[in-house]
Amino acid sequence: MGNSTFQDHDVVVIGGGHAGVEAAVAAARMGLDTALYTMNADLIAQMSCNPAIGGIAKGHLVRELDAMGGVMGEVIDRTGIQFRLLNRSRGPAVWSPRAQADKQRYRVAMRRLLEGEARLGIKQAEVVEILRENGQVTGVELADGRRVGARAVVLTTGTFLNGLIHIGERKSAAGRSGESPSVPLAESIKGMGFGWGRMKTGTPPRLDGRTIDFGLAEEQKGDEHPTPFSFRTKEIRQPQVACYIAYSNDRTHQVVRENLSRSPLYSGRIQSIGPRYCPSFEDKVVKFPERPRHQIFLEPEGLSTNEIYVNGLSTSMPPGVQMEMVRSIRGLEEAELIRPGYAIEYDYVDPRELFPSLQTKRVAGLFHAGQINGTTGYEEAACQGLMAGINAARWVRGEEPVVLGRDEAYIGILIDDLVTKGTDEPYRMFTSRAEFRLQLRIDNADRRLTPLGGKLGLVGAEALAEYESKQKRMERLRDSLKELRVRVESGRISAREALKRTEFRIEQFVSGLPGGLRTDLNPEEMRSVETEIKYEGYLRQQRADIEKMRRASSRVLPVDFEYGNIAGLSREIVEKLSRIRPVTIGQASRIPGMTPAALSIIHVHLELERRKKEARA
Amino acid sequence: MPTLIDDTIAAIATPMGRSGIGVIRLSGEDARRIAATVCGCGSNSLRDRATSLRRVRHPRTREVLDQAMVTYFRAPRSYTAEDVVELGCHGSPVVLESVMAVLLECGARLATPGEFTLRAFLRGRIDLVQAEAIRDLIEAKTLFQARVARQQAEGSLSRRLKPIKELLVRLISLLEAGIDFADDDVPVLAEEAIQEQLEPLVAGLQQLKAGFGRGRLLSAGLTVAVVGRTNVGKSTLFNTLVNQERAIVNESPGTTRDVVAEEAQLGGIPVRWLDTAGIRSSMDPVERIGIDKTREVLADADRLLLVLDGSVDLADEDRRLLEELKQQACCLVINKIDLPQRLPGEGIGPVEAPVVRVSALTGEGVETLKQVLLEDLGQGKVTQQEGALVTNFRQQERIGAALKALKRAVGAVEQGLPHEVILLDLHGALSSLNELTGETGIEDILGRIFQTFCVGK
């Protein structure tokens, strides 16, 4: 390295999407000389699909990201134009924030934030090759032939690898609408021997808001008191706007049915797998023929544009048909299309090629994050970006990777699922993926992850101090509730005991709390303390299982373990173990098809090897 | 999935059957606490390497289950190098099982075959040479366990559990959809609707659980089924094997219309022999019942003897059976060697099992057959005995655990707790049933949601 390179960095991040920016900021804040390479520096943190961040489970991801020192949360808090806390009618474990974003402002704010990072450089160039020596990354080669040295590379290519956009019968090579795909880079990655596949996703048409009769649609307002994503945000200041709900009808569905052969999804032109939970409108009509209507959300793309995102109408029909579909909907009879919807196919790398650190098993120092790993969603991408950035930095410094447990964070679940089970459809987070859902709440994300973020150098001193004083306030509140006696039917008990009953809320006891504490209290902190008390029994019930999971994850499996030598394992299990190469017994236990008996044999062989080594020593 | 080495395990350590004393062994961190709980004494009164006579009681009902000699071995000076407690109980299977049930209720997990030895090894109690031998044993056991698991998944219990599990998975899917897709057009189940769906679930499991008390549990041991098409001499062979005149032997085909069971030892191992109705396509409704039962029995049996008539050519029904049972049959028995032979000795159909020629009538070859059978059973040595019991006991225990979780869920609904709390117990019940029927995981539940609801934007 050095002689023939144009420049040298510690960490090079390829891609300026939601994964790339988090990776770059994390590595830079950890003190490493970091460069972010993007094909278009004007489109950093572009929201290529819906103009929103968060949603159920995704909101949890952003909270966790923020608690660890990621940046998505604070940027959406500054650029969100409608905030809603979803699932309020369920329990607090599944409340989740969502915000409509002003796309353009989001992009600009993120770019500004990146520019404020002293150790981070933004570079516009196309990377065509990952350079390596002896199985280890040494840098990247750019399209103009320059070589850039890097000790670690984070690859976040999104939908750009061999991207192919379909609109009706037409198709064109593209990374996102109007942008070139990365073809040489895709070939470079395949040349390294990675297992890969192809996925599909889609977007709906965008309309000119001036041509929509919003009076004919249902208005959907944001929350009166917006819930921010970031623990560091005090207040949402920017103006808030409404969204609208319209409905498709028989006529819309008829148009789809009549033109089905023109949709690339049904004409056979697209073979790759799209997400079942984000179906195209064609799929909705074909798979649920009995439904008389489907919800269509009209979401503004920003405050300085009239462009409207038609959420729920993802389609790759020819533009003429899209127009007909749109205009069959009440309120949209006169609507004009600004851009048609499209389907996009792209390459992804099998995430089982990765260690839980997101480093690839084939090439040391190379990390993959975001859609390249088969996920979907800005939030999923951002979380992987953060972890890849952290672990790239730690790898450069010769430190052990940071891996979050399934009991610690949705981020841990996301990455564990990917690297252990792989995925054959775009992977999205759901709260139902969490075994310990009650533990993983938005109100305690900071308690779960901020100390770690502080240790890693990602959470600043000021934020850390604020976190500490918040914990102290909550501790005082807990203590006071224990001391405060309240009257119930059966006599006098502590407020803490009373709160375990469904009929009591913490607000009922505030007047009995010490004056100083009363003025310090804020509603979120009160709610958080109340939740812990109410869920206490259930949280305890899960503790033993969590303890077991932790112990299993503390049992390390050597990466070069020879599973083929174990006679008692079925060929199928040997094949899976050899491919996935789990790093702990815990990870091995989650490989689909694993049996307790197979695990006990692995235990035995592990112990045998250990003793043999000991005997030799 | 349990990773097998962190919890406290319990098992009946002496061979099953009616003997004077039956020893139950507990091993793991909580062994002493659990033993003290069922003996109604403080942990400290169980002293290292001291044996005391104690009443074993149900901790809640205080009902006395047995008087036992209780010995505590402090780690690491014990068989497994963990804390171990041995309970020397009276040897009756009923007593042992009721004591086991209480230990499990207090937090022990039923040990899998060979698990005590496995732990002894992992905790460094056994040297490398011994360990190599144990590895071989455990590897053999794993194959056996895989077989047990397959049998269970195909077995009659699993089939009876299926509709119940189906209801559970449906309810979980509905509730999960209401949480994860609250922003979509997904209906949210009302409390009454949840209760309504829980009722048949609880009732179904209760019925299954009640069935265990009378059922297979008391006749723990190995099950060997004799199968074949009609009139190949199954019942004669069966009677010779159990040394009794019991099954009806008749020249007209299809005489044995029900499954006949008899207990008899085979080389010291208690074996439950089953004589089955001849399998053939029959229109006779009574006979059909017998044939259906037979198929159910086949799924539960530990070993199958497939009987052919050596004095005639292979019939189509023989071929069908050979095909159907090629995985399961452990021995091909060619009967009627007292008559002129038409069947070749080798190359009969796809079954790879050893072939033994016998005359059930004269008894010729029957000893060889027993030897072959013993050898097959001997592959895992004691495991088979343990295995059969574990299988039964585990089924009962898991169903009990699922039932408990469901009852907690019913309570949670009554209290008006949020759906994610109710789901905690529903998932708990599902994971218990999963261990008996094969895994239904989150991907299956999500798949069902996407099939049922048009979710996503």
Side-chain angles (χ1 to χ4, degrees):
Chain A
M1 215 197 295
N3 289 345
S4 62
T5 53
F6 172 75
Q7 246 184 332
D8 292 313
H9 303 282
D10 293 327
V11 177
V12 161
V13 177
I14 304 172
H18 305 285
V21 297
E22 298 287 353
V25 172
R29 285 189 180 167
M30 286 170 76
L32 290 135
D33 171 13
T34 307
L36 182 146
Y37 276 86
T38 171
M39 301 224 274
N40 185 344
D42 291 331
L43 295 179
I44 284 174
Q46 164 84 325
M47 299 177 129
S48 48
C49 199
N50 59 325
I53 280 179
I56 295 158
K58 288 166 173 278
H60 287 79
L61 286 175
V62 181
R63 269 284 169 109
E64 292 177 351
L65 183 74
D66 179 77
M68 271 187 83
V71 292
M72 179 177 258
E74 59 188 83
V75 175
I76 181 63
D77 282 349
R78 275 186 269 139
T79 58
I81 52 176
Q82 188 211 59
F83 287 79
R84 284 196 302 139
L85 184 59
L86 305 182
N87 257 346
R88 282 304 282 266
S89 59
R90 303 277 169 290
V94 294
W95 294 351
S96 203
R98 181 182 188 277
Q100 295 297 141
D102 183 318
K103 272 187 178 179
Q104 195 191 351
R105 289 187 188 195
Y106 185 89
R107 184 155 45 79
V108 171
M110 187 63 85
R111 166 88 187 248
R112 296 287 303 169
L113 189 146
L114 261 51
E115 287 174 359
E117 291 300 328
R119 316 216 55 168
L120 172 59
I122 298 172
K123 317 274 176 184
Q124 177 168 308
E126 182 185 356
V127 173
V128 292
E129 174 117 36
I130 311 285
L131 303 172
R132 56 206 189 277
E133 250 167 56
N134 305 324
Q136 188 162 330
V137 144
T138 56
V140 298
E141 187 176 313
L142 308 179
D144 60 13
R146 277 180 295 160
R147 293 180 154 221
V148 176
R151 296 164 72 192
V153 169
V154 182
L155 196 54
T156 70
T157 51
T159 56
F160 277 69
L161 289 185
N162 278 324
L164 187 63
I165 283 184
H166 297 257
I167 304 178
E169 290 88 355
R170 293 175 58 91
K171 55 185 178 185
S172 53
R176 289 187 296 226
S177 177
E179 297 177 68
S180 309
S182 320
V183 178
L185 185 56
E187 294 319 305
S188 165
I189 293 164
K190 282 178 195 170
M192 292 185 248
F194 288 114
W196 58 280
R198 211 151 162 77
M199 279 180 175
K200 172 252 144 187
T201 187
T203 72
R206 322 289 156 95
L207 306 180
D208 184 336
R210 294 171 303 174
T211 60
I212 295 174
D213 186 348
F214 289 105
L216 295 177
E218 286 169 26
E219 189 181 31
Q220 188 183 38
K221 284 210 163 95
D223 292 344
E224 201 178 326
H225 304 289
T227 303
F229 284 85
S230 174
F231 287 101
R232 299 182 294 280
T233 300
K234 300 274 174 292
E235 192 185 356
I236 305 291
R237 292 204 188 89
Q238 60 280 15
Q240 301 290 296
V241 301
C243 293
Y244 293 84
I245 304 175
Y247 293 94
S248 67
N249 54 46
D250 274 352
R251 178 76 201 109
T252 326
H253 304 171
Q254 193 55 35
V255 173
V256 170
R257 276 191 286 267
E258 278 164 10
N259 291 283
L260 215 49
S261 63
R262 304 187 65 191
S263 163
L265 295 170
Y266 284 86
S267 64
R269 272 190 296 274
I270 294 181
Q271 299 287 342
S272 34
I273 305 161
R276 287 169 298 174
Y277 41 80
C278 189
S280 64
F281 197 76
E282 289 92 302
D283 273 343
K284 292 183 187 180
V285 171
V286 172
K287 290 185 180 148
F288 297 92
E290 71 287 356
R291 300 255 315 208
R293 62 177 203 176
H294 295 277
Q295 280 183 325
I296 307 285
F297 296 84
L298 304 171
E299 303 174 346
E301 297 230 331
L303 296 177
S304 42
T305 171
N306 282 313
E307 195 163 346
I308 297 292
Y309 183 89
V310 191
N311 206 343
L313 199 70
S314 172
T315 176
S316 48
M317 287 285 196
V321 180
Q322 294 192 22
M323 184 91 123
E324 219 184 317
M325 287 160 63
V326 164
R327 290 191 168 179
S328 71
I329 294 169
R330 194 170 134 85
L332 306 181
E333 291 88 346
E334 320 245 311
E336 289 289 341
L337 248 58
I338 291 182
R339 337 169 190 221
Y342 62 84
I344 181 164
E345 290 185 286
Y346 55 95
D347 291 345
Y348 76 103
V349 177
D350 185 343
R352 288 172 297 185
E353 294 276 358
L354 306 175
F355 290 118
S357 62
L358 295 179
Q359 181 167 192
T360 67
K361 293 167 189 168
R362 282 176 205 277
V363 180
L366 178 63
F367 297 76
H368 290 181
Q371 253 169 318
I372 189 176
N373 291 337
T375 61
T376 169
Y378 311 141
E379 305 82 357
E380 284 84 350
C383 291
Q384 294 171 63
L386 174 76
M387 297 313 293
I390 291 172
N391 285 328
R394 290 179 70 84
W395 194 79
V396 168
R397 296 201 301 222
E399 294 165 351
E400 287 294 303
V402 171
V403 176
L404 298 176
R406 298 182 71 91
D407 56 308
E408 284 176 296
Y410 278 95
I411 300 176
I413 296 170
L414 169 74
I415 293 174
D416 182 61
D417 276 351
L418 288 173
V419 303
T420 309
K421 298 178 185 159
T423 184
D424 49 15
E425 78 177 320
Y427 180 103
R428 184 192 138 172
M429 187 46 71
F430 298 109
T431 71
S432 48
R433 296 194 193 272
E435 297 86 345
F436 308 114
R437 178 161 47 190
L438 299 189
Q439 322 270 347
L440 306 182
R441 307 187 307 274
I442 57 167
D443 68 79
N444 69 357
D446 55 347
R447 199 131 66 104
R448 290 184 273 127
L449 300 166
T450 296
L452 176 61
K455 228 181 281 166
L456 293 170
L458 294 173
V459 178
E462 195 187 329
L464 219 47
E466 208 167 294
Y467 163 79
E468 302 285 353
S469 66
K470 175 182 168 186
Q471 296 314 309
K472 280 198 191 104
R473 276 196 303 277
M474 288 170 63
E475 195 52 54
R476 268 169 60 210
L477 176 56
R478 272 190 284 268
D479 289 344
S480 306
L481 287 169
K482 222 186 273 175
E483 279 159 28
L484 179 66
R485 312 294 288 181
V486 296
R487 185 178 296 283
V488 296
E489 285 161 30
S490 53
R492 287 172 78 80
I493 58 173
S494 76
R496 193 175 186 289
E497 283 307 307
L499 273 178
K500 288 184 184 165
R501 306 184 178 188
T502 44
E503 68 264 32
F504 290 104
R505 306 301 304 237
I506 197 163
E507 286 83 359
Q508 294 166 258
F509 305 132
V510 170
S511 60
L513 295 172
L517 184 58
R518 234 173 6 205
T519 48
D520 282 354
L521 285 175
N522 86 41
E524 274 78 52
E525 292 164 11
M526 275 181 4
R527 189 68 59 231
S528 185
V529 168
E530 179 187 43
T531 301
E532 299 250 303
I533 294 172
K534 286 210 181 293
Y535 279 179
E536 196 181 14
Y538 286 95
L539 294 173
R540 202 177 323 120
Q541 191 182 319
Q542 292 195 315
R543 213 167 289 155
D545 287 337
I546 290 178
E547 184 49 37
K548 261 184 225 163
M549 188 183 272
R550 286 198 181 151
R551 284 199 204 179
S553 343
S554 70
R555 290 212 173 81
V556 174
L557 279 168
V559 181
D560 52 359
F561 204 63
E562 270 298 336
Y563 296 97
N565 294 343
I566 304 181
L569 296 178
S570 74
R571 209 178 317 144
E572 190 200 344
I573 286 185
V574 169
E575 193 267 324
K576 279 184 183 165
L577 285 165
S578 312
R579 180 156 56 138
I580 294 167
R581 286 194 269 153
V583 295
T584 65
I585 286 281
Q587 193 191 353
S589 74
R590 291 187 292 275
I591 294 175
M594 186 57 58
T595 64
L599 282 178
S600 64
I601 296 188
I602 296 171
H603 271 309
V604 169
H605 279 259
L606 203 57
E607 176 66 15
L608 276 175
E609 296 240 318
R610 193 188 63 77
R611 289 206 201 163
K612 277 182 192 155
K613 224 172 263 170
E614 214 175 66
R616 276 197 298 269
Chain B
M1 178 178 310
T3 47
L4 294 174
I5 58 174
D6 292 321
D7 42 8
T8 297
I9 52 174
I12 302 171
T14 41
M16 257 333 249
R18 278 158 228 281
S19 57
I21 286 180
V23 175
I24 292 179
R25 186 181 285 150
L26 272 166
S27 176
E29 268 175 19
D30 288 335
R32 195 181 185 199
R33 177 190 64 77
I34 293 170
T37 309
V38 301
C39 295
C41 62
S43 284
N44 290 336
S45 61
L46 296 178
R47 288 215 300 276
D48 188 21
R49 302 193 158 243
T51 301
S52 48
L53 183 65
R54 294 180 187 271
R55 285 206 174 89
V56 179
R57 291 173 191 268
H58 193 289
R60 264 183 300 109
T61 62
R62 313 295 306 150
E63 177 197 357
V64 177
L65 303 170
D66 196 15
Q67 281 216 322
M69 300 296 291
V70 180
T71 317
Y72 168 55
F73 301 88
R74 189 194 299 278
R77 290 203 310 155
S78 72
Y79 178 66
T80 56
E82 299 178 328
D83 266 9
V84 165
V85 176
E86 290 185 355
L87 303 160
C89 302
H90 290 95
S92 129
V94 181
V95 168
L96 289 172
E97 276 153 19
S98 62
V99 174
M100 271 299 293
V102 168
L103 295 174
L104 300 186
E105 212 170 294
C106 292
R109 171 171 64 75
L110 194 62
T112 57
E115 201 171 355
F116 288 104
T117 316
L118 172 68
R119 287 189 174 201
F121 168 64
L122 291 176
R123 308 273 182 224
R125 193 87 177 83
I126 292 173
D127 68 31
L128 198 58
V129 183
Q130 279 174 295
E132 302 269 2
I134 287 169
R135 176 197 60 199
D136 294 343
L137 182 66
I138 290 178
E139 285 180 345
K141 278 175 181 168
T142 313
L143 297 175
F144 169 74
Q145 281 170 19
R147 206 144 130 190
V148 169
R150 201 187 62 228
Q151 278 173 11
Q152 263 184 22
E154 293 162 0
S156 58
L157 174 75
S158 175
R159 257 183 295 154
R160 274 178 289 165
L161 271 175
K162 237 189 195 155
I164 299 175
K165 189 170 154 185
E166 166 64 28
L167 291 176
L168 178 60
V169 171
R170 212 181 65 156
L171 178 57
I172 289 176
S173 306
L174 289 174
L175 293 176
E176 290 291 6
I179 289 176
D180 272 332
F181 300 96
D183 219 22
D184 290 273
D185 246 356
V186 172
V188 172
L189 281 191
E191 275 162 29
E192 302 79 58
I194 302 175
Q195 290 293 22
E196 223 165 83
Q197 298 207 27
L198 276 169
E199 273 165 30
L201 268 169
V202 173
L205 282 185
Q206 258 163 347
Q207 205 181 345
L208 268 183
K209 192 174 174 228
F212 268 107
R214 307 184 295 274
R216 276 192 69 183
L217 193 60
L218 295 182
S219 54
L222 260 163
T223 307
V224 179
V226 184
V227 291
R229 72 170 163 84
T230 49
N231 218 21
V232 292
K234 288 187 301 297
S235 296
T236 316
L237 179 64
F238 172 81
N239 289 337
T240 311
L241 285 168
V242 303
N243 213 3
Q244 258 181 24
E245 282 289 321
R246 170 72 184 269
I248 314 156
V249 181
N250 194 313
E251 281 301 307
S252 84
T255 315
T256 306
R257 286 203 173 140
D258 203 345
V259 178
V260 178
E262 207 55 68
E263 313 250 346
Q265 293 217 334
L266 175 69
I269 301 173
V271 172
R272 186 156 174 264
W273 302 87
L274 301 175
D275 183 18
T276 61
I279 295 183
R280 59 172 188 155
S281 344
S282 170
M283 299 308 289
D284 175 6
V286 181
E287 201 176 322
R288 285 278 293 282
I289 294 171
I291 293 170
D292 282 349
K293 270 202 180 141
T294 298
R295 289 191 191 277
E296 209 157 285
V297 162
L298 294 189
D300 280 342
D302 298 305
R303 293 289 184 277
L304 295 184
L305 299 180
L306 179 51
V307 187
L308 301 170
D309 184 345
S311 68
V312 294
D313 289 327
L314 217 52
D316 284 347
E317 279 164 16
D318 291 324
R319 289 202 186 86
R320 245 196 317 273
L321 275 174
L322 283 164
E323 180 58 36
E324 192 178 328
L325 303 176
K326 66 182 170 194
Q327 299 285 335
Q328 283 174 279
C330 76
C331 186
L332 268 186
V333 184
I334 297 179
N335 192 18
K336 306 194 188 176
I337 54 168
D338 46 308
L339 298 176
Q341 292 296 288
R342 306 278 304 256
L343 272 190
E346 278 168 20
I348 307 172
V351 177
E352 281 174 25
V355 177
V356 182
R357 295 176 164 271
V358 303
S359 165
L361 204 62
T362 65
E364 190 184 346
V366 171
E367 273 317 303
T368 315
L369 173 61
K370 284 185 177 172
Q371 271 316 309
V372 168
L373 197 48
L374 259 178
E375 264 166 44
D376 186 51
L377 297 179
Q379 268 178 12
K381 307 267 164 19
V382 287
T383 14
Q384 265 71 23
Q385 295 176 62
E386 257 179 82
L389 173 68
V390 167
T391 306
N392 288 320
F393 204 85
R394 205 174 75 106
Q395 289 172 346
Q396 190 187 25
E397 194 266 328
R398 291 287 85 195
I399 287 177
L403 196 54
K404 236 192 220 168
L406 284 182
K407 285 181 178 165
R408 276 199 305 269
V410 170
V413 180
E414 275 166 8
Q415 285 182 59
L417 294 177
H419 288 185
E420 67 271 25
V421 173
I422 300 167
L423 276 162
L424 195 69
D425 287 320
L426 295 183
H427 281 295
L430 180 61
S431 87
S432 295
L433 297 187
N434 274 345
E435 287 180 41
L436 301 177
T437 57
E439 187 81 4
T440 300
I442 182 61
E443 285 306 322
D444 303 292
I445 288 165
L446 287 172
R448 195 176 288 243
I449 292 174
F450 302 135
Q451 261 170 31
T452 316
F453 303 108
C454 184
V455 289
K457 291 170 180 171

